[in-house]
Amino acid sequence: MLPGMAENPPAPSRIRPLPSWLLGRAAARGRGLVAEALARHDLRMWHHVVLAAVADLGPVAQAELGRTISLDPKDMVGVLNDLQTAGLVLRTPDPADRRKNAVSLTPEGEQRLRECTRAARRANDELLAPLSAAEREQFLDMLRRISGVR
Amino acid sequence: MLPGMAENPPAPSRIRPLPSWLLGRAAARGRGLVAEALARHDLRMWHHVVLAAVADLGPVAQAELGRTISLDPKDMVGVLNDLQTAGLVLRTPDPADRRKNAVSLTPEGEQRLRECTRAARRANDELLAPLSAAEREQFLDMLRRISGVR
DNA sequence: GAGAAAACGTTGGCCCTCCCAACGACCTTC
DNA sequence: GAAGGTCGTTGGGAGGGCCAACGTTTTCTC
């Protein structure tokens, strides 16, 4: 039994063999480990994703940012409100187009992103601990093929 | 690009390499395929899981059922209400212990479970289509080790 | 046998992720 | 100048996940 995991009874016999069920359990474990790690930095998953995307693309229009990471405009508003309130991003009106605002990281945002990226990497190392290095490469390759993610 | 999948831009560079992110995307695809398949039988994921568990264990007390599949008692109430309304399960008071009711499948419930199990299997075959038979075994073995599921 | 503790099923509520629709202000196209 | 589209926001909901409290019933302890 893996450390930090309550032992659960086996899933029903018609569910247990379904790869989607196993994927769901594995993903839930991954999400839980990462959520716990990010919570220590007062962030949640989409906060981290948005900070990372702004670091890659910034300054970037909010709508463009949302399209890039496939986050609904309504949800983007909430995430940016949280990040702005925490002093991690700035929204600056675009003088050339008053419909838009440009999102950029503050120095605090850059620092928080570094911390979170390290924390997320450690959580992911724990997640994949049961696999050898060669198996990890194989596993990631298969995940990419299944999910269609580039 | 896999059939039926909109092409998305790549995730941010600090997020893209995270196994938990890839797991999340793969799991979301699996969940989506299964949800679509089950929806044609007017069911959702937990409806299917509960039917399958009752088939394995029934008649079974509601609280015991919830523990077996790790579903919160509050959520169990909702799922059983839906299944009972649809005529797929029965809740029968336990004469030996009036706190409990025993959950069992109706003949309609058994039939619906057979249909859903077939539909879920087909959806899962589609999910794993990019992998060879040998890779599928490897993949499932790795998922079991990572998730700690028996 | 009485009282305390625990179990059962339900109701209430919240959070997170995911998704759709409509609005007012603004920009682009013809 | 008018029509159509874009931007960011507000409104709403669904599904999954989780915690707390209640009334009733059963079990356990003294």
Side-chain angles (χ1 to χ4, degrees):
Chain A
M1 190 170 64
L2 292 167
M5 290 190 68
E7 183 169 349
N8 289 327
S13 61
R14 289 168 184 74
I15 304 296
R16 208 180 310 151
L18 293 177
S20 57
W21 176 261
L22 280 169
L23 257 178
R25 295 304 97 194
R29 180 152 193 265
R31 192 182 314 118
L33 287 171
V34 170
E36 197 181 329
L38 294 181
R40 294 195 208 98
H41 300 278
D42 300 307
L43 292 189
R44 299 195 304 271
M45 181 182 87
W46 279 109
H47 295 130
H48 183 209
V49 175
V50 166
L51 285 181
V54 177
D56 278 0
L57 306 167
V60 57
Q62 192 168 311
E64 177 61 23
L65 180 56
R67 282 190 293 276
T68 300
I69 59 180
S70 301
L71 182 59
D72 188 85
K74 166 180 174 141
D75 301 320
M76 177 64 73
V77 170
V79 173
L80 284 179
N81 284 349
D82 292 342
L83 292 174
Q84 186 169 353
T85 297
L88 305 178
V89 298
L90 283 178
R91 273 154 154 147
T92 311
D94 184 335
D97 188 335
R98 292 206 299 279
R99 291 173 296 178
K100 295 177 168 176
N101 52 34
V103 184
S104 57
L105 292 190
T106 62
E108 290 88 347
E110 289 169 352
Q111 174 61 22
R112 188 74 62 91
L113 176 56
R114 281 194 286 277
E115 294 165 356
C116 285
T117 302
R118 274 198 294 275
R121 280 192 183 129
R122 284 197 291 271
N124 274 266
D125 285 342
E126 182 178 354
L127 175 67
L128 295 193
L131 304 185
S132 70
E135 286 176 325
R136 292 183 192 202
E137 289 309 308
Q138 270 184 306
F139 184 62
L140 295 178
D141 176 59
M142 294 187 218
L143 283 179
R144 285 187 195 99
R145 282 192 269 143
I146 285 171
S147 63
V149 165
R150 310 203 210 108
Chain B
M1 191 170 64
L2 292 167
M5 291 189 66
E7 183 167 349
N8 290 327
S13 60
R14 289 169 184 72
I15 304 295
R16 206 181 312 149
L18 293 177
S20 57
W21 176 262
L22 278 170
L23 257 178
R25 294 305 96 194
R29 180 152 193 265
R31 192 184 315 120
L33 287 171
V34 170
E36 197 182 329
L38 293 182
R40 293 192 209 100
H41 300 277
D42 300 307
L43 292 189
R44 300 197 304 271
M45 180 182 87
W46 279 110
H47 296 129
H48 184 209
V49 175
V50 166
L51 286 181
V54 176
D56 278 359
L57 307 167
V60 58
Q62 193 168 311
E64 177 60 24
L65 180 56
R67 283 191 292 276
T68 300
I69 60 179
S70 300
L71 182 60
D72 190 85
K74 159 148 187 177
D75 300 323
M76 177 63 75
V77 169
V79 173
L80 284 179
N81 285 349
D82 292 341
L83 293 175
Q84 188 170 350
T85 298
L88 305 178
V89 298
L90 282 177
R91 272 155 154 146
T92 311
D94 184 335
D97 188 335
R98 290 205 301 278
R99 291 173 298 180
K100 294 177 168 176
N101 53 37
V103 185
S104 56
L105 291 190
T106 62
E108 290 87 347
E110 289 169 352
Q111 174 60 23
R112 188 74 62 91
L113 176 57
R114 281 194 286 277
E115 294 165 358
C116 284
T117 302
R118 273 198 295 275
R121 280 192 183 128
R122 282 196 292 272
N124 274 267
D125 286 342
E126 182 177 352
L127 175 67
L128 294 193
L131 304 185
S132 70
E135 284 176 326
R136 292 184 191 199
E137 289 309 307
Q138 268 183 307
F139 184 62
L140 296 179
D141 176 59
M142 294 186 215
L143 283 180
R144 284 186 197 100
R145 284 192 268 144
I146 284 172
S147 63
V149 163
R150 310 202 209 109

